[in-house]
């Protein structure tokens, strides 16, 4: 058994295969995902697990060099949730553009979050100097 980190086997496998510039999405319970994009669905009921809990777990495992959130997230708590956890604030993009970016993701991690616009696209970096 793993001593620490992400225990969910499918999610752990997806994360292990990520490379530089790959996109990972942490999504609320309602974000549409194109059929060709793999989804690790962690949602149990609305609210569980929370977006922030899942984002924290991913940020402990993945190097992130850039992030995008919906400009609509600015009106509620999701913008603060994301920005508080990153070295630089997430780039704001129109919500339709964010949804289009989901089609390029290597994996989407669906949470049980029921807060509007609680979605972030993360671009992977590398864990060594370039």
């Amino acid at each position: 058994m793993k001593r620490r980190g992400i225990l969910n086997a499918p999610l752990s496998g997806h994360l292990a295969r990520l490379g530089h510039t790959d996109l990972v999405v942490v999504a609320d319970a309602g974000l549409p995902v194109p059929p060709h994009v793999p989804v690790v669905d962690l949602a149990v009921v609305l609210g569980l697990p929370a977006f922030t809990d899942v984002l924290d777990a991913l940020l402990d495992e993945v190097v992130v060099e850039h992030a995008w959130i919906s400009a609509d997230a600015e009106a509620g708590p999701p913008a603060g949730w994301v920005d508080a956890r990153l070295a630089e604030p997430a780039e704001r993009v129109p919500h339709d553009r964010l949804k289009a970016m989901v089609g390029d993701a290597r994996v989407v991690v669906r949470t049980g979050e029921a807060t509007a616009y609680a979605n972030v696209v993360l671009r992977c970096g590398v864990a060594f100097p370039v």
Side-chain angles (χ1 to χ4, degrees):
M1 178 171 178
K2 285 181 68 175
R3 186 179 300 269
R4 65 182 65 80
I6 293 181
L7 300 177
N8 181 284
L11 180 54
S12 184
H14 281 287
L15 298 179
R17 289 186 289 275
L18 292 173
H20 188 216
T21 73
D22 283 341
L23 301 181
V24 177
V25 177
V26 181
D28 62 24
L31 186 71
V33 179
H36 69 277
V37 177
V39 176
V40 177
D41 195 336
L42 302 179
V44 178
V45 296
L46 283 180
L48 291 176
F51 174 83
T52 54
D53 292 334
V54 175
L55 181 58
D56 287 342
L58 286 175
L59 292 175
D60 281 345
E61 301 236 354
V62 175
V63 176
V64 174
E65 68 178 19
H66 196 77
W68 296 265
I69 61 173
S70 171
D72 294 323
E74 201 66 50
W81 293 344
V82 172
D83 289 346
R85 289 164 167 79
L86 299 175
E88 295 184 22
E91 182 178 342
R92 275 63 169 164
V93 296
H95 193 62
D96 285 343
R97 179 170 173 221
L98 185 102
K99 289 194 295 187
M101 293 174 76
V102 173
D104 293 326
R106 290 289 304 267
V107 64
V108 171
V109 184
R110 187 184 317 277
T111 69
E113 188 62 53
T115 303
Y117 305 110
N119 306 291
V120 63
V121 178
L122 305 170
R123 183 174 66 210
C124 295
V126 292
F128 51 84
V130 287

